[in-house]
Amino acid sequence: MIRLLIFGQSGQVARALSQVTRAHVMTLDRAAADLSNPDSCAAHIRDTDADAVINAAAWTDVDGAEAAEAAATVVNAVAPGVMARAAALRDLPFIHLSSDYVFDGSGDALWRPNHSTGPINAYGRSKLAGEQTVMAAGGLSVVLRTSWVFDGVGRNFVTTMLRLGATRDQLSIVADQIGGPTPASHIAEACVKIAEGLVAGRGAPGIYHLSGTPDTSWADFARAIFACSGQSVDVHDIATADYPTAAVRPLNSRLDCRDLQREFGITRPDWATALREICERVSHE
């Protein structure tokens, strides 16, 4: 059984990783490993007896990063780079989670891992800088870009819609942003499978994409959530321009995930299946 050192404990993917049964998981919460103190995080990697390291911790407040880009960059870029170097010195696989926000969201084609990046907000810039520091560290480093992560517990689009649907009969939802909703559980399984592959000498370091299928809009995703939960909510389509936020959001978050399937045998998850499981679980609570 592979031994994994996980940075992060309260986030969606970190929680899912802690529930993986085929790996021995050691999780570090913020009190034990604060990414705003990169050297302390590297010390954990130097001292670990784990077979691989997964960084599931990050600054995730997209709008908040606009006013605190320097702090977000320390957490999302400086710390991962220091951690990746520590892992490389020990020949430990290092899997780092990134985001579709490294792209500018133009067009309607699938983004491939080697496409030119161009983040349009501070969070995206911090995540792109993190990719660059991790890959510069060399070693067995993998950057896994994901999009629209959800589960049935944390703060995310699915839980927000379920909460609002309990008291509202109509909602206005953005319809011109397109992407692939991705179950946190599937990301966790993918991270473990990548780690297992790298430890066994299978698969190549590099940048990969993982998102759920099929691609959809936030508005249509909301409709699927309400249909699944049995809530009667009328969803009105609006444009991104009609829902201003501190950070500009990319319109096109479609990700090409074929490289991940070819190298590690990991396929895109059907988000509707995960959504049904969440709705069934919530209905019994």
Side-chain angles (χ1 to χ4, degrees):
M1 181 179 290
I2 192 172
R3 296 168 296 178
L4 300 173
L5 178 64
I6 311 295
F7 285 85
Q9 192 174 74
S10 60
Q12 297 178 79
V13 177
R15 283 196 303 271
L17 280 164
S18 69
Q19 298 169 6
V20 174
T21 57
R22 70 172 189 277
H24 177 63
V25 175
M26 299 162 280
T27 60
L28 297 171
D29 62 12
R30 186 174 181 179
D34 188 347
L35 269 68
S36 63
N37 184 357
D39 290 338
S40 69
C41 297
H44 285 287
I45 296 173
R46 288 193 296 268
D47 296 338
T48 189
D49 63 352
D51 301 306
V53 181
I54 299 174
N55 180 30
W59 178 297
T60 57
D61 182 357
V62 175
D63 290 321
E66 292 298 307
E69 186 167 356
T73 301
V74 170
V75 173
N76 287 346
V78 178
V82 171
M83 295 155 65
R85 287 194 294 274
L89 288 172
R90 296 198 52 198
D91 292 323
L92 294 176
F94 182 79
I95 295 99
H96 173 70
L97 297 178
S98 190
S99 168
D100 59 289
Y101 277 40
V102 302
F103 297 111
D104 65 12
S106 60
D108 57 9
L110 301 176
W111 293 105
R112 289 189 53 77
N114 62 351
H115 277 164
S116 296
T117 51
I120 56 177
N121 56 45
Y123 170 77
R125 289 190 292 271
S126 74
K127 295 301 288 184
L128 177 59
E131 294 184 0
Q132 293 166 341
T133 61
V134 167
M135 297 314 299
L140 297 173
S141 295
V142 163
V143 169
L144 185 63
R145 293 173 180 153
T146 65
S147 68
W148 297 22
V149 184
F150 71 92
D151 66 7
V153 181
R155 294 179 59 187
N156 57 77
F157 189 77
V158 169
T159 55
T160 298
M161 290 299 103
L162 291 174
R163 175 175 54 82
L164 293 176
T167 59
R168 305 275 290 275
D169 59 7
Q170 59 180 348
L171 290 168
S172 296
I173 307 293
V174 170
D176 58 353
Q177 295 176 28
I178 308 297
T182 316
S185 58
H186 195 88
I187 299 172
E189 289 290 339
C191 287
V192 174
K193 193 166 185 177
I194 292 169
E196 290 173 334
L198 292 173
V199 168
R202 301 189 305 270
I207 298 176
Y208 296 92
H209 290 170
L210 175 63
S211 66
T213 187
D215 293 317
T216 189
S217 69
W218 288 119
D220 283 341
F221 190 30
R223 291 185 180 94
I225 294 167
F226 297 134
C228 181
S229 64
Q231 295 173 322
S232 181
V233 180
D234 187 12
V235 174
H236 299 280
D237 291 1
I238 61 172
T240 297
D242 297 326
Y243 188 73
T245 55
V248 180
R249 265 61 172 181
L251 299 182
N252 176 23
S253 291
R254 301 171 178 88
L255 298 180
D256 187 325
C257 306
R258 290 175 295 179
D259 289 352
L260 186 67
Q261 182 172 359
R262 184 188 67 249
E263 288 291 327
F264 294 98
I266 298 168
T267 58
R268 297 183 68 182
D270 175 13
W271 55 259
T273 299
L275 179 60
R276 284 193 296 271
E277 293 172 353
I278 290 172
C279 290
E280 290 173 2
R281 185 164 65 250
V282 170
S283 68
H284 288 93
E285 290 179 353

